[in-house]
Amino acid sequence: KIVYMKDLENKRYMINHSMDELENELLDPYQFYRINRSAIVNLDSLVEMKSHENGRLKLSIVSNNDDNLIVARDRVSDFREWINQ
């Protein structure tokens, strides 16, 4: 699988690490959180968090993209704890 990183200007960069490597080995867990199977967010980029269907959360970040960043239902509780660290 190919993993891409997007910057705040919505530029996309291909990187040579898996999502698991990023989450577990490379990124600071106090700064980055994996919200679902396909997205990791930076705490500093979060702008808004709204309730979403089926107990999930929808996030807005500082950027000009319109990606749907949805926190997986089984990660919502841990995500809220991470936000409040």
Side-chain angles (χ1 to χ4, degrees):
K1 295 182 179 179
I2 298 174
V3 176
Y4 292 96
M5 177 187 76
K6 287 185 181 179
D7 65 15
L8 294 177
E9 296 171 358
N10 207 27
K11 292 181 184 173
R12 201 166 85 158
Y13 305 91
M14 187 171 57
I15 57 175
N16 292 323
H17 297 285
S18 69
M19 292 290 284
D20 288 337
E21 289 174 326
L22 292 170
E23 177 185 22
N24 298 319
E25 300 169 21
L26 299 171
L27 297 175
D28 179 357
Y30 294 103
Q31 195 64 34
F32 295 89
Y33 189 85
R34 188 170 184 176
I35 61 169
N36 57 41
R37 287 186 288 177
S38 62
I40 297 174
V41 296
N42 182 335
L43 179 61
D44 292 340
S45 68
L46 291 176
V47 174
E48 185 177 37
M49 177 171 71
K50 293 181 182 179
S51 293
H52 194 62
E53 59 191 40
N54 296 324
R56 297 179 295 172
L57 296 172
K58 183 173 183 176
L59 306 179
S60 297
I61 61 171
V62 176
S63 73
N64 58 1
N65 69 23
D66 57 354
D67 291 344
N68 286 324
L69 294 173
I70 307 296
V71 180
R73 186 177 22 208
D74 61 335
R75 294 181 181 249
V76 168
S77 179
D78 288 341
F79 177 76
R80 288 178 193 242
E81 287 179 23
W82 176 75
I83 287 289
N84 293 316
Q85 63 185 339

